[in-house]
Amino acid sequence: MKIYDLIENIKIWTEIYRESSEEDKETDAWKKNMLKVLSKLNVAEELELTPFKQKLEDIINLAKKNEFNQITNIYEELKNIEKYFQENYDTFN
């Protein structure tokens, strides 16, 4: 996966999370679908030697294990990663 695609996927995922109702966020079906999307991500080659590689791998592994109780933590981590990418996008181009 290219860095641009990864950044866009993270951006879309965090946006969906933010815009979803609290009621939706409580359902296992919603959580399962959100984690399913993350489980399909791959770490971009450009991140190979960065601290984000391990963080993203950990998130992907949690998603693959359907760790429903971690979804809020996953969101917080992805939000931080997204913010870093937004502030440093030129570094990865």
Side-chain angles (χ1 to χ4, degrees):
M1 179 172 282
K2 297 290 182 191
I3 190 74
Y4 175 81
D5 296 328
L6 179 63
I7 293 168
E8 284 302 304
N9 283 316
I10 290 171
K11 181 179 175 182
I12 291 167
W13 193 93
T14 57
E15 189 174 306
I16 291 169
Y17 185 96
R18 275 190 300 273
E19 292 178 0
S20 294
S21 70
E22 290 304 315
E23 186 176 303
D24 284 343
K25 290 178 187 176
E26 295 299 317
T27 66
D28 286 347
W30 181 88
K31 292 175 187 177
K32 183 177 182 178
N33 289 330
M34 291 295 284
L35 293 175
K36 188 177 203 178
V37 170
L38 291 178
S39 72
K40 304 297 182 195
L41 294 181
N42 293 308
V43 178
E45 292 176 19
E46 295 91 337
L47 298 178
E48 192 64 35
L49 299 175
T50 71
F52 295 111
K53 177 183 185 269
Q54 188 61 52
K55 284 184 181 190
L56 285 169
E57 285 177 347
D58 291 346
I59 288 169
I60 292 166
N61 287 330
L62 286 172
K64 286 180 179 179
K65 293 177 186 175
N66 281 324
E67 294 286 345
F68 293 167
N69 62 334
Q70 293 295 315
I71 200 155
T72 302
N73 295 334
I74 290 170
Y75 167 71
E76 292 298 327
E77 283 291 328
L78 288 177
K79 190 171 68 170
N80 291 333
I81 291 170
E82 178 187 12
K83 181 179 176 185
Y84 178 83
F85 284 149
Q86 287 173 346
E87 293 170 355
N88 298 283
Y89 184 74
D90 292 340
T91 305
F92 296 104
N93 278 331

